[in-house]
Amino acid sequence: MSHGELTTTRSGAAQALAGWAAALDPSAEELALADRSLVDTVAVGLAAHREPVIGITADLPEEARWAVACHVLDFDDLHTPSTSHISTVCVPVALAVGGGARTYLAGAGVMARLGIALGWPHYSAGWHATTTCGALGAAAGAAVALGLDTGGIARAMALAVPAAGGVQRSFGTDGKPLQVGFAAHAGVRAARLAAAGAGADPRAVDDWLALLGGPPDRLTIDGPAVPGGLAVKLYPCCYALQRPIGAAAGLRPAVPDPAAIRRIVVRTPRATVQPLLHHRPDTGLQAKFSLEYAVSAALLDEHVGFAAFTDDAVHRPPVRRLVDLVETELTDGGDHLLAGEVTVEVHTGADVHRATLAYPPGSPQHPPLDGAFAGKVADCLAGLPVTAADISWDRAADLLRAHLGV
């Protein structure tokens, strides 16, 4: 057992994580990660300014409304070790409470560590780790921004425990981004109550972890602020689809005429399709969680961007034909969304075209090229009087207020 594990076990999870957050002194590399996450997350949130759910959230506090906007397109980054969308919670929280990169990193680090401790069994059981871990991460980040000491940060985390829920059945509906918004607000609310003097037993976090199946020896305070780094999405859909889309897109030059396709086979470990609930989607939101649709769209569309995930796009006859041709062969095993490899096989008459991929573009193992990231941000900001250079910790909150006002 490492020194970090000993510290966590003896002092309690909340107290150990709070001590880490209070003492956090980010490195230049960690600050660069925070800055990239800010630009990525805010750009994605601004791209959602016309989504119907934004109007529905008019009565929610800023951190909740912004978190919903940053998540509804499912274009936000992912922390693969915890299977949680860290930035869609921690960036809006930091901005709403007047914090900056350190606030973000404190919340992100707590959220990541809790998610790692809960592990794949938590996610594979059907929990939405972004919301379960997000409420406590948001509380820690907001508490740091409010200047609370270690004890105050721990109390804030304990006060957020009752709101630490959310399930995958909501995927493909407005419920998914809304429960992320609820988690962000719960954390800010808990931190403000703690700052006002509300009492709580930090051991509630230990009980919460145990009830959700998180072994205490998996919770550590070692390592960088965000252990394992963050994966940047290059396609606006569930992270479980980034790899199949990447593999299928690589086959497009070899299959220039989609009408010639007679069979599509996708081979992947069973764990990698855990959140992909919709096999024959009827809406753009459902399509973001459909393996069959994503592979079909990647073979049909030159660019799998926003236009590929609209209701109209889902009902295109050519894509519906391809969806019906997709067969999935799932192998047993795997404990994360990138377990093993994915193979996409396309049959066109006598010819068979095959592509295999281990890591999608944008993953920590295959970081996005500067041009790819810049292109994503530009797509998100298209039609808005905003550039990537405008998105800073000092100005981002005002940008969100201006363009997500309801």
Side-chain angles (χ1 to χ4, degrees), residues 74 120 123-128 166-177 179 237-241 244 270-294 309 323 328 330 337:
D74 244 286
W120 182 250
Y123 189 83
S124 63
W127 291 103
H128 188 191
V167 296
Q168 292 169 27
R169 180 48 58 186
S170 65
F171 289 11
T173 74
D174 288 339
K176 185 174 191 274
Q179 65 190 20
C237 54
C238 178
Y239 193 72
L241 296 176
R270 190 175 304 277
T272 67
V273 300
Q274 169 67 29
L276 305 182
L277 306 180
H278 301 284
H279 303 293
R280 298 294 184 271
D282 287 319
T283 68
L285 280 178
Q286 291 178 357
K288 291 173 181 285
F289 302 92
S290 173
L291 177 63
E292 294 82 359
Y293 177 82
F309 292 96
V323 165
T328 57
L330 304 179
L337 294 181

Side-chain angles (χ1 to χ4, degrees), residues 151-152 155-156 159 189-201:
R155 283 188 289 113
L159 289 169
R189 179 181 62 201
R192 286 176 173 155
L193 288 168
D201 185 347

Side-chain angles (χ1 to χ4, degrees), residues 39 43 46 377-378 381 384-392 395 399:
V39 173
L46 292 174
V377 173
L381 300 179
L384 293 170
V386 181
T387 68
D390 296 325
I391 303 174
S392 66
R395 301 177 61 188
L399 291 173

Side-chain angles (χ1 to χ4, degrees), residues 4 26 92 108 134 136 167 194 219 238 252 257 260 278 283 346-347 360 369 382 385 400:
L136 275 67
V167 296
L219 181 60
C238 178
R252 196 182 310 115
D257 180 13
H278 301 284
T283 68
V346 177
H347 297 246
L369 300 175
L400 292 172

Side-chain angles (χ1 to χ4, degrees), residues 171-271:
F171 289 11
T173 74
D174 288 339
K176 185 174 191 274
L178 285 169
Q179 65 190 20
V180 171
F182 299 155
H185 174 54
V188 172
R189 179 181 62 201
R192 286 176 173 155
L193 288 168
D201 185 347
R203 289 283 179 173
V205 176
D206 296 273
D207 288 357
W208 171 81
L209 274 169
L211 287 167
L212 291 180
D217 62 355
R218 288 197 63 184
L219 181 60
T220 76
I221 56 173
D222 296 332
V226 183
L230 293 172
V232 173
K233 288 185 182 179
L234 298 183
Y235 310 110
C237 54
C238 178
Y239 193 72
L241 296 176
Q242 305 293 304
R243 188 167 68 173
I245 290 175
L251 291 175
R252 196 182 310 115
V255 190
D257 180 13
I261 297 175
R262 296 292 176 264
R263 184 184 181 211
I264 304 168
V265 182
V266 181
R267 299 185 179 91
T268 188
R270 190 175 304 277

Side-chain angles (χ1 to χ4, degrees), residues 78 80-81 83 120 231 239-244 268-269 271-273 334-342 357-366:
L78 183 84
T80 53
T83 323
W120 182 250
Y239 193 72
L241 296 176
Q242 305 293 304
R243 188 167 68 173
T268 188
T272 67
V273 300
D335 59 359
H336 56 96
L337 294 181
L338 295 182
E341 299 176 328
V342 67
L357 194 60
Y359 299 107
S363 64
Q365 297 85 358
H366 189 179

